[in-house]
Amino acid sequence: MTQFAELGLCEPLLRAISDAGYLEPTPIQSESIPHLLAGNDLLGCAQTGTGKTAAFALPILQRLAAEPRDPGLRGCRALILSPTRELAMQIDECLTAYGYHLGISHAVVYGGVHQNPQVQALAKGVDVLVATPGRLLDLMNQGYCRLWKVEVLVLDEADRMLDMGFIHDVREILAAVPRNRQGMMFSATVPPRIRHLAGEILNDPAEVMVAPSATPVEQVDQRVMFVDRADKRALLCDMVRDLELERVLVFTRTKHGASRLASQIVRYGGLSCDSIHGDKLQSSRDAALRSFKEGRIRVLVATDVAARGLDIDDIGYVVNYDLPNDPDSYVHRIGRTARAGAEGVAVTFCDVDEIGSLRDIERQIDTHLPIVTDQPYHSEAGREKALRMREAPPSRGQSGRGRSRGGRQRSRGRGRSNAMAGD
Ligand code: AMP
């Protein structure tokens, strides 16, 4: 196993890595860092949770520290584009941690908040700028931000960037960045459209592929509970209380559903809870996230988009309160737990109307998910129907691929709590 010290990183970075408690590099780090320190472009296929932020942030910091900033320079020297505000803030926090002993300045700009503090930060001059595309373009158009001195460019979560419709903004931003730069692109998947974009913005990149999308899922203890829709809330509250869960991330499909569930959990379940979704002010989302990270609330209800890229340590439990419509979202959701090798549990509440989505997910991850049978929140008839539908042979067009992870499993816990806590 490679050690950080063998990767060519300078001493202040090694100290910061040790302060962060990292013992050894993750695969994306040990494979990417040497290429990036050598100044090459890079296309990295890696999801959030694999340690990809350090993989690009450490070489950037080392490069900038090696050549101190010209005091008269106002534009940034490295630009990191992120599809979401939350991810942008997390990258900025990582820069603070990793750059602690180096004195490299950095700032983050994103929409949904007043721009003045961001404008002031830019006016002082920053080495590294982390930005979401929309706000960055706004600031550029108003003349607050110039990119003509950018030496390093990172496009993080490029697939999300395309999914969220940012490609035109990204292209406009790229047109303002010098061609002679070091480019990096990270994406959870590399379909042809991503490869095409990489061809446009990277120059003869090294390619590092780690963790195909199913890998993080394998570290997560996944279970399904058949539950009548009307009983989902009671089951969730009981579970949090009985198992004394401290940090539970709950996913709903809609923004409205997230808000409603969060207030019901507080009102009827007596648990501390908040929600994050796109209709909330950025300041409320930040406050909810902070409370969750600091342990002041036990349950955070989120929509898929709001939770994208969230980096919160110690999420032991993810609950899929609603099944997502597409299997990729399932993989992203449960990737919020079991990060960087830790263990996590993902529980999916499934009512009879959601069996089709469950089967789609099982096909995508090539796993037959174990069912928790001894929980009281389902009518017998509903459960029987759910089981029958789930076991029915695949309809035409479905692959019905093999069953990994021990084939068809049933959880046989001693009580509801024991069954959940792990047999
Ligand atoms: P990322 O994929 O960059 O979002 O990182 C996911 C999580 O892994 C973050 O909480 C990092 O602090 C953590 N992490 C990154 N690199 C390492 C490492 N080498 N060892 C342990 N944890 C790490």
Side-chain angles (χ1 to χ4, degrees), residues 4 21-26 29 47-54 98 311 313 339-340:
F4 276 113
Y22 302 169
L23 300 177
E24 55 200 23
T26 63
Q29 292 163 1
Q47 290 189 321
T48 299
T50 54
K52 71 179 162 60
T53 313
Y98 304 148
D311 178 18
D313 289 336
R339 293 165 74 75

Short mmCIF file of all heavy atoms in Angstrom, two decimals, residues 4 21-26 29 47-54 98 311 313 339-340, ligand 1:
data_model
loop_
_atom_site.label_atom_id
_atom_site.label_comp_id
_atom_site.label_asym_id
_atom_site.label_seq_id
_atom_site.Cartn_x
_atom_site.Cartn_y
_atom_site.Cartn_z
N PHE A 4 1.29 8.25 1.99
CA PHE A 4 1.26 9.64 1.53
C PHE A 4 2.68 10.17 1.28
O PHE A 4 2.92 10.89 0.31
CB PHE A 4 0.55 10.53 2.55
CG PHE A 4 -0.95 10.53 2.41
CD1 PHE A 4 -1.76 9.97 3.37
CD2 PHE A 4 -1.54 11.10 1.29
CE1 PHE A 4 -3.14 9.97 3.24
CE2 PHE A 4 -2.93 11.12 1.14
CZ PHE A 4 -3.73 10.55 2.13
N GLY A 21 -6.12 13.07 10.21
CA GLY A 21 -6.27 11.68 10.67
C GLY A 21 -6.26 10.66 9.55
O GLY A 21 -6.61 9.51 9.75
N TYR A 22 -5.83 11.07 8.35
CA TYR A 22 -5.77 10.10 7.26
C TYR A 22 -4.51 9.26 7.42
O TYR A 22 -3.42 9.79 7.56
CB TYR A 22 -5.69 10.79 5.89
CG TYR A 22 -6.82 11.74 5.55
CD1 TYR A 22 -6.72 12.57 4.45
CD2 TYR A 22 -7.98 11.80 6.31
CE1 TYR A 22 -7.74 13.45 4.11
CE2 TYR A 22 -9.00 12.67 5.99
CZ TYR A 22 -8.87 13.50 4.90
OH TYR A 22 -9.87 14.38 4.57
N LEU A 23 -4.66 7.96 7.38
CA LEU A 23 -3.50 7.09 7.58
C LEU A 23 -2.82 6.74 6.27
O LEU A 23 -1.61 6.72 6.18
CB LEU A 23 -3.94 5.81 8.30
CG LEU A 23 -4.57 6.04 9.68
CD1 LEU A 23 -5.03 4.74 10.30
CD2 LEU A 23 -3.56 6.76 10.61
N GLU A 24 -3.62 6.47 5.26
CA GLU A 24 -3.02 6.16 3.96
C GLU A 24 -3.90 6.69 2.84
O GLU A 24 -5.11 6.93 3.06
CB GLU A 24 -2.80 4.66 3.81
CG GLU A 24 -4.04 3.87 4.02
CD GLU A 24 -3.73 2.40 4.34
OE1 GLU A 24 -2.62 2.11 4.82
OE2 GLU A 24 -4.61 1.58 4.09
N PRO A 25 -3.31 6.91 1.67
CA PRO A 25 -4.12 7.47 0.58
C PRO A 25 -5.19 6.49 0.10
O PRO A 25 -4.97 5.27 0.14
CB PRO A 25 -3.10 7.73 -0.54
CG PRO A 25 -1.82 7.12 -0.12
CD PRO A 25 -1.91 6.67 1.29
N THR A 26 -6.29 7.03 -0.34
CA THR A 26 -7.31 6.19 -0.97
C THR A 26 -6.84 5.90 -2.40
O THR A 26 -5.93 6.59 -2.90
CB THR A 26 -8.67 6.92 -1.01
OG1 THR A 26 -8.53 8.08 -1.82
CG2 THR A 26 -9.15 7.30 0.38
N GLN A 29 -6.51 8.82 -4.68
CA GLN A 29 -5.40 9.71 -4.29
C GLN A 29 -4.06 9.13 -4.73
O GLN A 29 -3.24 9.83 -5.32
CB GLN A 29 -5.43 9.94 -2.77
CG GLN A 29 -6.63 10.75 -2.33
CD GLN A 29 -6.94 10.66 -0.84
OE1 GLN A 29 -6.23 9.99 -0.08
NE2 GLN A 29 -8.00 11.32 -0.42
N GLN A 47 -16.51 8.67 -7.38
CA GLN A 47 -17.67 9.30 -6.74
C GLN A 47 -17.24 10.07 -5.50
O GLN A 47 -16.18 9.82 -4.95
CB GLN A 47 -18.63 8.22 -6.28
CG GLN A 47 -19.31 7.53 -7.42
CD GLN A 47 -20.41 6.63 -6.92
OE1 GLN A 47 -20.25 5.97 -5.90
NE2 GLN A 47 -21.50 6.60 -7.63
N THR A 48 -18.15 10.92 -5.03
CA THR A 48 -17.97 11.52 -3.73
C THR A 48 -17.86 10.40 -2.71
O THR A 48 -18.57 9.40 -2.82
CB THR A 48 -19.19 12.41 -3.41
OG1 THR A 48 -19.26 13.41 -4.40
CG2 THR A 48 -19.08 13.06 -2.06
N GLY A 49 -16.99 10.57 -1.75
CA GLY A 49 -16.82 9.52 -0.74
C GLY A 49 -15.56 8.70 -0.96
O GLY A 49 -15.16 7.93 -0.11
N THR A 50 -14.92 8.91 -2.12
CA THR A 50 -13.71 8.13 -2.42
C THR A 50 -12.44 8.90 -2.03
O THR A 50 -11.35 8.37 -2.16
CB THR A 50 -13.62 7.84 -3.93
OG1 THR A 50 -13.73 9.10 -4.63
CG2 THR A 50 -14.73 6.92 -4.39
N GLY A 51 -12.60 10.14 -1.59
CA GLY A 51 -11.43 10.96 -1.26
C GLY A 51 -10.94 11.76 -2.46
O GLY A 51 -9.81 12.21 -2.51
N LYS A 52 -11.83 12.01 -3.43
CA LYS A 52 -11.39 12.70 -4.65
C LYS A 52 -11.04 14.17 -4.39
O LYS A 52 -10.21 14.73 -5.11
CB LYS A 52 -12.43 12.57 -5.76
CG LYS A 52 -13.71 13.35 -5.54
CD LYS A 52 -14.64 13.16 -6.70
CE LYS A 52 -16.07 13.55 -6.36
NZ LYS A 52 -16.28 14.93 -5.94
N THR A 53 -11.64 14.79 -3.38
CA THR A 53 -11.33 16.20 -3.14
C THR A 53 -9.85 16.37 -2.79
O THR A 53 -9.17 17.24 -3.34
CB THR A 53 -12.20 16.77 -2.00
OG1 THR A 53 -13.55 16.37 -2.23
CG2 THR A 53 -12.12 18.27 -1.93
N ALA A 54 -9.37 15.53 -1.89
CA ALA A 54 -7.93 15.62 -1.55
C ALA A 54 -7.09 15.28 -2.77
O ALA A 54 -6.00 15.84 -2.96
CB ALA A 54 -7.61 14.68 -0.39
N TYR A 98 -6.55 21.24 4.40
CA TYR A 98 -5.33 20.75 3.77
C TYR A 98 -4.28 21.87 3.63
O TYR A 98 -3.08 21.62 3.65
CB TYR A 98 -5.62 20.16 2.37
CG TYR A 98 -6.65 19.06 2.36
CD1 TYR A 98 -7.49 18.87 1.27
CD2 TYR A 98 -6.80 18.19 3.44
CE1 TYR A 98 -8.45 17.86 1.25
CE2 TYR A 98 -7.76 17.18 3.43
CZ TYR A 98 -8.58 17.03 2.34
OH TYR A 98 -9.53 16.04 2.32
N ASP A 311 -20.99 16.00 2.45
CA ASP A 311 -19.92 15.28 3.14
C ASP A 311 -20.12 15.47 4.63
O ASP A 311 -19.75 16.48 5.20
CB ASP A 311 -18.56 15.83 2.70
CG ASP A 311 -17.44 15.14 3.45
OD1 ASP A 311 -17.67 14.05 4.00
OD2 ASP A 311 -16.33 15.69 3.47
N ASP A 313 -19.52 13.47 8.17
CA ASP A 313 -18.95 12.27 8.78
C ASP A 313 -19.98 11.64 9.69
O ASP A 313 -20.89 12.29 10.16
CB ASP A 313 -17.71 12.65 9.60
CG ASP A 313 -16.57 13.03 8.68
OD1 ASP A 313 -16.58 12.59 7.53
OD2 ASP A 313 -15.69 13.79 9.13
N ARG A 339 -18.76 6.18 4.36
CA ARG A 339 -17.79 6.95 3.57
C ARG A 339 -16.36 6.63 3.97
O ARG A 339 -16.07 6.39 5.12
CB ARG A 339 -18.07 8.44 3.74
CG ARG A 339 -19.40 8.78 3.11
CD ARG A 339 -19.84 10.12 3.56
NE ARG A 339 -19.06 11.16 2.93
CZ ARG A 339 -19.21 11.53 1.67
NH1 ARG A 339 -20.08 10.93 0.90
NH2 ARG A 339 -18.49 12.49 1.16
N ALA A 340 -15.49 6.66 2.98
CA ALA A 340 -14.06 6.39 3.17
C ALA A 340 -13.85 5.18 4.08
O ALA A 340 -13.10 5.22 5.05
CB ALA A 340 -13.35 7.62 3.73
P1 AMP B 1 -14.52 13.10 -0.80
O1 AMP B 1 -14.68 11.93 -1.72
O2 AMP B 1 -13.41 14.01 -1.20
O3 AMP B 1 -15.82 13.82 -0.59
O4 AMP B 1 -14.07 12.52 0.63
C1 AMP B 1 -14.91 11.74 1.41
C2 AMP B 1 -14.47 11.67 2.85
O5 AMP B 1 -13.27 10.90 2.97
C3 AMP B 1 -14.17 13.00 3.51
O6 AMP B 1 -14.81 13.00 4.78
C4 AMP B 1 -12.67 13.04 3.68
O7 AMP B 1 -12.30 13.75 4.84
C5 AMP B 1 -12.34 11.57 3.83
N1 AMP B 1 -11.01 11.20 3.33
C6 AMP B 1 -10.38 11.68 2.23
N2 AMP B 1 -9.19 11.08 2.07
C7 AMP B 1 -9.04 10.21 3.09
C8 AMP B 1 -8.00 9.30 3.47
N3 AMP B 1 -6.89 9.16 2.76
N4 AMP B 1 -8.21 8.54 4.58
C9 AMP B 1 -9.35 8.67 5.29
N5 AMP B 1 -10.36 9.51 4.99
C10 AMP B 1 -10.21 10.27 3.89
#
